[in-house]
Amino acid sequence: MKHLINHIVIVGGRAAGPAAAAKARRENPGAKITMIEAGRYISTGTCEIPYLISGEVSSPGDLVFFTADDFKRHYDVDVLTDTSVTGIAPRQRLLQIESNGTKYEMGYDRLVLTTGAKSKIHPQFPPELKNVHYVKNIEDAEVLLGSEHLTGKSWLVVGASYAGLEFAESLAKKGKDVILIDKDELPGSGFDAEIRQLINEVLVKNGIEFVGKTPELKVFTDSGKVRKIKFDGRLKEIDGVIGSIGIEPETSLAKKAGLELGAKGGIKVDNRMRTSDQYIFAAGDCVELKDTVTGRHVYLPQAVVARDGGYVAGANAAGGNDFMYPVLRNTALRVFDRFATKTGKCAKTLDELRIPYKIVTATADALVHVMPGTHKVFGKLIIGNDGKILGAGFFGGPEVSGYCDIIALAIKAGLKATDLRHGHYNYTPTLSPFKNLIESLAIKAAGKSR
Amino acid sequence: MKHLINHIVIVGGRAAGPAAAAKARRENPGAKITMIEAGRYISTGTCEIPYLISGEVSSPGDLVFFTADDFKRHYDVDVLTDTSVTGIAPRQRLLQIESNGTKYEMGYDRLVLTTGAKSKIHPQFPPELKNVHYVKNIEDAEVLLGSEHLTGKSWLVVGASYAGLEFAESLAKKGKDVILIDKDELPGSGFDAEIRQLINEVLVKNGIEFVGKTPELKVFTDSGKVRKIKFDGRLKEIDGVIGSIGIEPETSLAKKAGLELGAKGGIKVDNRMRTSDQYIFAAGDCVELKDTVTGRHVYLPQAVVARDGGYVAGANAAGGNDFMYPVLRNTALRVFDRFATKTGKCAKTLDELRIPYKIVTATADALVHVMPGTHKVFGKLIIGNDGKILGAGFFGGPEVSGYCDIIALAIKAGLKATDLRHGHYNYTPTLSPFKNLIESLAIKAAGKSR
């Protein structure tokens, strides 16, 4: 079949796109491969963008891993940047393309859509306001970093989930006064309630004002800029705003092409990353994928998932036969010197799905108490009726990375909470505690099930 | 049966002993329980002792977790310190005891031996020399810390495995000039060859002189002290010596009682921690235990294993029915700002047991390369012919604690190396890399097995 695939086109060049292109090239050395990107850059980092403000990452260029020329040289893939795909004619297998005012058509044998996601827009903070920034990609970051109001002292971050918290921290580290607002009562949407409380404590300690449940927020604009906000009777001057209330799959092209979407709004794909059109594949932040724990489709816009989905889509578009694994959320967030993690399912989702569960929580030492640098780590384990682990959340120092990865692997392997007991966790005074948090949670889980 | 157990005696009060006593009390609230300790202290930390020299742990008292009085109050266990058990008459169930020159006998219904381990002695550095220290317990540490030659600048550490490396580091941090010698060519006995090389590089960088393979070492003593050593034609003045060439099970009492010992020299126990005498149990650094990977008995003197074995021995001595899990080595070592780990079996042991295996190695980033504070992490995975993980070693920053715990759990769960792929490891710029070392090793393992 590979010899019938003469031209593979990939629409979107950020995370899933380059992965798909690279894999397609490996799978099919003879095909022509074209990657089309609407923006200026391909192969970029996204998760690192907040740290451009704090200076932990020095320049946006550091987050561009391949230039178009390098990518062409390395993978023999034609790369078109600043080029938009405006329509798809699936029957004719034709793309409508626009670049620098010129419109043209391009045929394909197989198409891979890696169109990513776009920022949700808060109605009171439209991006048309000059000092309101939705910073989703490198180009957005360049605009923010080049804007003169970045010198202003007073910043508002709208939305206190992952990126919002990261931007708030970065602005604070840069010496800004930061107000962080969210529709929820606590920051850290997506994390467990106990962890959201702990996140809030860290924010307070570090001088970030969190304002939850802001129904009566008033925004005063002047000359196309946000100047002041008013809430709880308080009036605050504002120099700049970062909007960060979430992202949603960018599916306008898929919709136009008549591709099926899923319940979560992402493009529907099978486990080969094939859409409802047999010649079109999709991957990255524009698709929905099957969840490991529930077997249902979820929207999980994560860089690693985008990369791996891109690999599968690219391989299969090129005539291969690769499978995508069911996904599992396993995310972490730094809040100043602490880290919060979220793995698998949370109670809220399980309630919605009417999946029964029990919860155990524990607090443990990061190191034995006599060692310098120790601190407390909080953990929460969510366990199904059959004893299997459904999810977990941790809050502590960098050791939580290992803890949440242990849980992720345990969920993938179908282990029970009690299987985590006597896990042979290392004990080293300078590195790890005598009884770690996973062991403590497993002991509690065993006690409850007896 | 419990009502027939009126007196439980535990010989040894450091790690396994207090665990056994506490568990015996919980299992059998009515019995009289006596814990006998030859030294001054009970319930002490051992792994932390090297950090008394560097000052990371401020005083030996910090490593005494319970006084005899506190233990009595808390667990209703009679504690005899500075009291030696000099013999056992198993048929009569009698102990010969000596304390302050007084000899007497004590009956028991059940006995738990938690006699621990003792330092191996290097023939050229006998502990009779006043400035030669074998620092195995708190009392040894007190002697060292109180000794006037600790003010001397030039120190020799004999033996470069775990404790030797820790003592060398601690002395160096205290401003001493340290020579570290070992019979092997590289420091870090027990670690994989690649990791031993990396340990050596860190020692060199931090000004510790490692001298391997020292066959013609000459030791010059004067007035009962080591004054100089000579090797490779070089003469070095020495103010103090720490001997650290390993430990061995303390079984003299068990031998006198006629208890069976295993091939590794430890007391033989079944999975209920019962010795060859039905009324005598044993736990801690004096026993051998069954290994998870090979099913054979190993000597694994580790604090966590001592604690858990103590729990089982104590529960069963008190009339309960608890099981000890097969053990798995999972150890780590700090070498200045780096950490080395060792999990499961190493190639050398597998060769000796004629168990076939293959090895994959990889080097990965601790964080994505644009983030500050990243570094390289080395990993090695040892895989059986059936694809199952047999062992692993890591060398890097504190993230190796999570990595080695993941491997330990994977070995316990009987996972294959390829099961570690798509493990849903978290990716967070400030915490964890885009592709972590475990994933890299799993990809290599998959490639090799295809």
Side-chain angles (χ1 to χ4, degrees):
Chain A
M1 195 171 105
K2 280 184 203 175
H3 64 284
L4 297 175
I5 302 173
N6 294 311
H7 190 201
I8 302 155
V9 180
I10 294 146
V11 182
R14 293 296 155 103
K23 204 69 170 216
R25 171 55 69 223
R26 193 188 294 182
E27 184 71 36
N28 193 331
K32 174 178 165 69
I33 303 176
T34 305
M35 185 164 76
I36 303 173
E37 166 57 42
R40 207 176 311 150
Y41 305 110
I42 61 158
S43 188
T44 60
T46 299
C47 312
E48 301 83 0
I49 286 176
Y51 307 107
L52 285 164
I53 298 176
S54 63
E56 288 172 85
V57 177
S58 26
S59 101
D62 289 348
L63 301 182
V64 179
F65 306 127
F66 272 103
T67 65
D69 286 351
D70 284 347
F71 204 83
K72 167 76 180 168
R73 249 195 309 278
H74 206 86
Y75 293 109
D76 189 21
V77 167
D78 296 331
V79 178
L80 308 176
T81 54
D82 293 308
T83 301
S84 296
V85 176
T86 56
I88 306 173
R91 286 210 196 168
Q92 295 82 15
R93 289 198 242 170
L94 273 179
L95 300 175
Q96 283 99 44
I97 291 176
E98 197 174 325
S99 178
N100 277 322
T102 312
K103 293 182 181 186
Y104 61 97
E105 290 189 330
M106 180 187 284
Y108 66 83
D109 295 309
R110 296 292 182 277
L111 183 65
V112 182
L113 293 179
T114 53
T115 47
K118 61 187 176 193
S119 296
K120 289 183 186 170
I121 303 300
H122 192 287
Q124 290 185 287
F125 300 98
E128 289 72 28
L129 292 167
K130 286 176 223 157
N131 62 346
V132 171
H133 296 266
Y134 288 85
V135 190
K136 174 74 184 68
N137 57 38
I138 303 287
E139 291 89 338
D140 300 333
E142 286 180 331
V143 171
L144 172 64
L145 293 169
S147 66
E148 55 182 33
H149 53 262
L150 193 56
T151 56
K153 182 89 173 154
S154 300
W155 280 74
L156 170 70
V157 177
V158 182
S161 190
Y162 289 81
L165 284 162
E166 290 168 345
F167 279 117
E169 175 184 328
S170 273
L171 285 165
K173 282 188 173 163
K174 200 68 188 170
K176 310 294 181 191
D177 294 332
V178 182
I179 299 174
L180 176 63
I181 64 172
D182 197 276
K183 62 176 171 41
D184 287 359
E185 200 171 343
L186 284 168
S189 166
F191 289 100
D192 292 290
E194 299 93 330
I195 290 175
R196 296 178 77 165
Q197 190 61 55
L198 293 164
I199 290 173
N200 196 31
E201 286 169 20
V202 174
L203 293 181
V204 169
K205 210 180 94 186
N206 287 278
I208 289 181
E209 185 183 1
F210 174 75
V211 183
K213 283 198 165 178
T214 46
E216 292 210 29
L217 181 74
K218 277 192 181 149
V219 180
F220 302 92
T221 61
D222 177 25
S223 316
K225 284 188 175 183
V226 173
R227 298 296 183 177
K228 286 172 188 165
I229 56 167
K230 193 177 177 185
F231 58 88
D232 295 340
R234 293 160 61 198
L235 195 66
K236 287 263 182 182
E237 305 227 346
I238 294 295
D239 295 310
V241 178
I242 289 182
S244 187
I245 59 166
I247 59 171
E248 55 194 352
E250 171 55 73
T251 56
S252 48
L253 208 54
K255 273 185 215 161
K256 277 193 214 171
L259 300 181
E260 237 179 280
L261 302 188
K264 303 286 175 188
I267 302 171
K268 221 172 176 176
V269 291
D270 63 15
N271 68 355
R272 287 176 169 82
M273 306 305 282
R274 194 188 295 264
T275 69
S276 55
D277 181 303
Q278 62 171 319
Y279 302 115
I280 306 179
F281 296 79
D285 292 358
C286 58
V287 305
E288 295 185 14
L289 289 165
K290 194 176 154 178
D291 180 70
T292 299
V293 176
T294 64
R296 300 187 186 220
H297 278 70
V298 291
Y299 181 55
L300 192 69
Q302 298 282 316
V304 170
V305 173
R307 173 196 68 198
D308 291 352
Y311 283 153
V312 174
N316 292 341
N321 185 25
D322 210 347
F323 292 82
M324 182 59 184
Y325 53 83
V327 296
L328 182 75
R329 179 170 165 176
N330 187 22
T331 49
L333 167 74
R334 186 183 71 188
V335 196
F336 293 90
D337 62 344
R338 300 290 84 183
F339 295 88
T341 73
K342 173 81 211 153
T343 308
K345 293 291 149 195
C346 60
K348 193 171 153 243
T349 307
L350 294 171
D351 286 338
E352 284 164 13
L353 297 174
R354 295 172 185 238
I355 298 173
Y357 61 89
K358 69 175 180 184
I359 288 176
V360 293
T361 62
T363 299
D365 296 309
L367 300 176
V368 279
H369 66 94
V370 297
M371 293 304 292
T374 186
H375 54 258
K376 293 289 176 189
V377 203
F378 169 80
K380 179 174 179 173
L381 202 57
I382 301 180
I383 305 162
N385 273 356
D386 56 0
K388 286 193 181 169
I389 305 157
L390 303 177
F394 297 105
F395 188 88
E399 67 285 338
V400 297
S401 179
Y403 295 167
C404 74
D405 283 353
I406 286 171
I407 297 297
L409 186 68
I411 293 177
K412 189 195 165 210
L415 300 190
K416 293 185 176 184
T418 49
D419 293 330
L420 298 174
R421 272 205 80 177
H422 308 317
H424 312 296
Y425 309 109
N426 82 90
Y427 165 50
T428 308
T430 51
L431 183 65
S432 49
F434 191 50
K435 183 163 88 180
N436 81 3
L437 183 50
I438 304 275
E439 183 81 21
S440 298
L441 287 167
I443 289 171
K444 284 205 174 184
K448 284 210 172 182
S449 75
R450 265 175 198 162
Chain B
M1 194 171 109
K2 281 182 203 176
H3 63 282
L4 297 175
I5 302 174
N6 295 310
H7 191 201
I8 302 156
V9 179
I10 295 148
V11 181
R14 294 297 156 101
K23 203 69 170 211
R25 171 55 69 222
R26 192 187 297 183
E27 185 70 36
N28 194 330
K32 174 178 164 71
I33 304 176
T34 305
M35 185 164 77
I36 303 173
E37 166 58 41
R40 207 174 314 149
Y41 305 111
I42 61 158
S43 187
T44 61
T46 299
C47 313
E48 300 84 0
I49 287 175
Y51 307 107
L52 285 166
I53 298 175
S54 63
E56 288 171 87
V57 177
S58 28
S59 101
D62 289 348
L63 301 181
V64 179
F65 306 126
F66 272 102
T67 65
D69 285 350
D70 285 346
F71 204 82
K72 168 74 180 169
R73 246 193 311 277
H74 206 87
Y75 294 107
D76 189 22
V77 167
D78 296 331
V79 179
L80 308 175
T81 54
D82 293 309
T83 301
S84 296
V85 176
T86 55
I88 306 173
R91 287 210 196 170
Q92 295 81 14
R93 290 197 243 170
L94 273 180
L95 300 176
Q96 283 99 44
I97 292 175
E98 196 173 327
S99 178
N100 278 321
T102 312
K103 293 183 182 186
Y104 60 98
E105 289 188 330
M106 181 187 286
Y108 65 84
D109 296 306
R110 297 291 181 276
L111 183 65
V112 182
L113 294 179
T114 53
T115 47
K118 60 186 175 193
S119 296
K120 289 183 186 172
I121 303 300
H122 192 288
Q124 288 185 287
F125 299 98
E128 290 72 30
L129 291 166
K130 287 177 224 154
N131 60 348
V132 170
H133 297 267
Y134 288 84
V135 189
K136 174 72 184 68
N137 58 37
I138 304 283
E139 290 87 339
D140 300 333
E142 286 180 331
V143 171
L144 171 64
L145 293 169
S147 67
E148 57 181 32
H149 52 261
L150 191 57
T151 56
K153 180 90 175 154
S154 300
W155 279 74
L156 171 70
V157 176
V158 183
S161 190
Y162 289 80
L165 284 162
E166 290 168 346
F167 279 117
E169 175 184 329
S170 273
L171 286 164
K173 282 188 174 164
K174 201 68 189 171
K176 310 294 180 192
D177 295 332
V178 181
I179 298 173
L180 176 63
I181 64 172
D182 197 277
K183 62 178 172 38
D184 287 0
E185 200 171 345
L186 285 168
S189 166
F191 289 100
D192 292 290
E194 300 93 329
I195 289 173
R196 297 178 76 164
Q197 189 62 56
L198 292 164
I199 290 173
N200 196 31
E201 285 168 21
V202 174
L203 293 181
V204 169
K205 211 179 95 187
N206 287 281
I208 288 182
E209 185 182 2
F210 174 75
V211 183
K213 284 198 164 182
T214 45
E216 293 213 26
L217 180 75
K218 276 190 183 152
V219 181
F220 302 92
T221 60
D222 178 26
S223 318
K225 284 188 175 185
V226 174
R227 299 294 184 176
K228 285 172 189 168
I229 56 167
K230 193 178 178 183
F231 57 89
D232 295 341
R234 295 159 60 200
L235 196 65
K236 288 263 184 185
E237 305 228 346
I238 294 295
D239 294 309
V241 178
I242 290 182
S244 185
I245 60 166
I247 59 173
E248 56 194 352
E250 171 54 72
T251 56
S252 48
L253 207 53
K255 271 185 216 160
K256 277 193 214 169
L259 300 181
E260 238 178 279
L261 301 189
K264 303 285 175 187
I267 301 170
K268 222 173 177 175
V269 290
D270 63 16
N271 67 356
R272 286 177 171 80
M273 307 303 283
R274 193 188 295 266
T275 68
S276 56
D277 181 303
Q278 62 171 317
Y279 301 116
I280 305 179
F281 296 80
D285 292 0
C286 59
V287 305
E288 296 185 12
L289 289 165
K290 194 175 157 183
D291 180 70
T292 299
V293 176
T294 64
R296 300 185 186 222
H297 277 71
V298 291
Y299 180 56
L300 191 69
Q302 300 282 315
V304 171
V305 173
R307 174 196 67 195
D308 291 352
Y311 283 152
V312 175
N316 293 341
N321 185 25
D322 210 347
F323 292 82
M324 182 60 182
Y325 53 83
V327 297
L328 181 74
R329 179 170 166 175
N330 187 24
T331 48
L333 167 75
R334 186 181 72 187
V335 197
F336 293 91
D337 61 345
R338 301 290 84 185
F339 295 89
T341 73
K342 173 81 211 151
T343 308
K345 293 291 150 193
C346 60
K348 192 170 153 247
T349 307
L350 294 171
D351 285 339
E352 284 165 14
L353 297 174
R354 296 176 185 231
I355 298 174
Y357 61 88
K358 68 175 182 183
I359 288 176
V360 292
T361 62
T363 298
D365 296 309
L367 300 177
V368 279
H369 65 92
V370 298
M371 293 304 292
T374 186
H375 54 258
K376 294 289 177 190
V377 202
F378 170 80
K380 178 173 181 175
L381 202 57
I382 301 180
I383 306 162
N385 273 357
D386 56 0
K388 285 192 182 171
I389 304 158
L390 303 177
F394 297 105
F395 188 88
E399 67 285 338
V400 299
S401 178
Y403 295 169
C404 73
D405 283 352
I406 287 171
I407 296 298
L409 187 67
I411 294 177
K412 189 197 165 208
L415 299 190
K416 294 186 174 184
T418 49
D419 293 330
L420 298 175
R421 270 204 80 176
H422 308 317
H424 312 294
Y425 308 109
N426 84 91
Y427 163 49
T428 307
T430 50
L431 184 65
S432 49
F434 191 49
K435 183 163 91 181
N436 82 3
L437 183 52
I438 303 276
E439 181 81 22
S440 298
L441 288 166
I443 289 171
K444 284 203 175 181
K448 284 211 171 177
S449 72
R450 264 175 198 164

